[in-house]
Amino acid sequence: MYDLLDKYSYSPDAEDIGRRLDLLAANSAGLASDTVLKDCFSLMDITSLHSSDTVESITRLVHKVNSLARDYPQYPLPASVCVFPNFASTVAANRESEQLHVTAVAGCFPDSQSFLEVKIRECELAVENGADEIDIVLALNAFLAQDYETARREIRQIRSAIDKAAAANARTVILKVILETGVLVTPEAIAQASFLAMEEGADFIKTSTGKVSVNATPMASYVMCRCIGKFYEKTGRKVGFKAAGGISSASDAVSYYAIVASVLGKEWINRDLFRFGVSRLANALMSAVEKRTVTVF
């Protein structure tokens, strides 16, 4: 379990993490300026992952995002709209700006329980249908059994497949790997999974699917950000962080913003390196800025 922790000289200390998070929590309220709230708004992957999603409902969601430029020009565009892979083409066809990325969860999200060939093909199809970003789940069936090579191989092969699919259309694609930190539980396991995913080509590591009982937590996020920093120190490659699952209030967003800014620095506070996976946060951020209830989404 500890080989990668030794390699990157990081051994998470739960008591130290708790103390640091307490200090950040005590100071984060002072961060909640309109500028910070709007920064958080720009980092959102606006998400709809429901069994009841339809072409019509996803189209309406994209139109709501499009309308922000006209109805709320003082707000930045969110980073992306995140959907199931069969709706990637719907988002691509209806967005008014290519700066609004198409994110697709794929690879048999949210459980990642299928044949690797099925996972790969689903990811390829998502890219072929317009996805700019692919979010997959770490193969927990392998990782939890300490079969780390299988977990590595899945990420590596999906990375290769989506890069080829994107290159065929003169595009590039972002890969986010969801660690499902609520299932991994311990700081050591979260760190091991973080380094493993980054070594195999993840552009982002992401906390959670939002489909389990424990999703994003400050502890998991702190550990992941420390791992990103250690990985950057050793390799020179910057990997992004995505907090997802249960983030619904402006204060939630500010707390994760504070963790990223404290651990990784302000250079990570941009859509290329920091995201929120959200379904309800947009209204909360706008309401906090406007000092009134705003319901756009």
Side-chain angles (χ1 to χ4, degrees):
M1 173 63 78
Y2 297 97
D3 55 325
L4 288 177
L5 307 193
D6 290 341
K7 179 177 179 179
Y8 291 96
S9 303
Y10 178 55
S11 180
D13 180 324
E15 289 188 5
D16 179 64
I17 292 168
R19 286 192 296 269
R20 292 177 184 275
L21 289 174
D22 286 344
L23 286 172
L24 285 173
N27 296 321
S28 64
L31 282 176
S33 65
D34 288 355
T35 298
V36 167
L37 294 172
K38 288 180 180 179
D39 279 348
C40 291
F41 194 90
S42 74
L43 305 172
M44 294 186 302
D45 291 345
I46 302 285
T47 301
S48 186
L49 299 172
H50 308 293
S51 59
S52 57
D53 288 341
T54 64
V55 169
E56 291 76 15
S57 68
I58 298 302
T59 299
R60 285 195 300 271
L61 177 62
V62 178
H63 287 170
K64 288 178 181 180
V65 178
N66 291 338
S67 73
L68 288 169
R70 296 183 293 274
D71 298 338
Y72 293 91
Q74 69 273 33
Y75 286 84
L77 192 68
S80 82
V81 173
C82 179
V83 294
F84 285 118
N86 48 307
F87 296 116
S89 60
T90 303
V91 180
N94 286 281
R95 62 179 171 175
E96 292 180 355
S97 169
E98 291 191 1
Q99 289 186 354
L100 179 70
H101 279 191
V102 180
T103 297
V105 297
C108 299
F109 175 97
D111 300 314
S112 192
Q113 295 282 18
S114 190
F115 302 102
L116 178 57
E117 294 86 349
V118 174
K119 298 180 190 182
I120 289 171
R121 187 58 185 139
E122 186 178 60
C123 292
E124 289 173 332
L125 285 167
V127 174
E128 291 166 8
N129 279 272
D132 304 297
E133 307 184 7
I134 298 293
D135 289 17
I136 64 168
V137 182
L138 173 72
L140 291 170
N141 51 8
F143 185 88
L144 294 174
Q146 299 186 20
D147 181 2
Y148 301 128
E149 181 50 40
T150 294
R152 285 180 176 278
R153 184 172 65 251
E154 288 210 2
I155 298 171
R156 185 164 61 244
Q157 291 190 13
I158 289 172
R159 169 90 266 179
S160 176
I162 63 173
D163 284 345
K164 288 178 182 176
N169 292 287
R171 298 165 49 219
T172 57
V173 65
I174 290 168
L175 177 65
K176 307 191 199 87
V177 177
I178 305 165
L179 307 184
E180 204 68 289
T181 54
V183 175
L184 297 180
V185 181
T186 68
E188 292 80 9
I190 292 166
Q192 174 88 348
S194 296
F195 289 127
L196 184 154
M198 290 188 287
E199 286 196 339
E200 296 306 329
D203 296 306
F204 280 75
I205 51 175
K206 175 178 170 182
T207 57
S208 322
T209 61
K211 304 295 186 181
V212 294
S213 59
V214 177
N215 291 290
T217 66
M219 181 279 289
S221 301
Y222 185 92
V223 171
M224 291 167 67
C225 287
R226 284 295 308 275
C227 291
I228 288 169
K230 290 290 187 179
F231 187 79
Y232 176 60
E233 288 174 10
K234 194 168 188 70
T235 68
R237 185 167 77 87
K238 290 182 177 179
V239 174
F241 167 72
K242 180 173 175 178
I247 301 167
S248 59
S249 69
S251 60
D252 288 339
V254 171
S255 69
Y256 289 104
Y257 180 103
I259 290 170
V260 173
S262 172
V263 177
L264 294 170
K266 289 294 183 71
E267 64 188 292
W268 251 264
I269 305 295
N270 61 76
R271 58 183 284 163
D272 294 330
L273 292 169
F274 182 20
R275 298 287 182 84
F276 294 105
V278 302
S279 58
R280 295 169 290 169
L281 180 63
N283 291 334
L285 290 172
M286 295 177 77
S287 296
V289 172
E290 301 298 323
K291 309 297 189 292
R292 61 183 176 86
T293 300
V294 177
T295 307
V296 175
F297 297 96

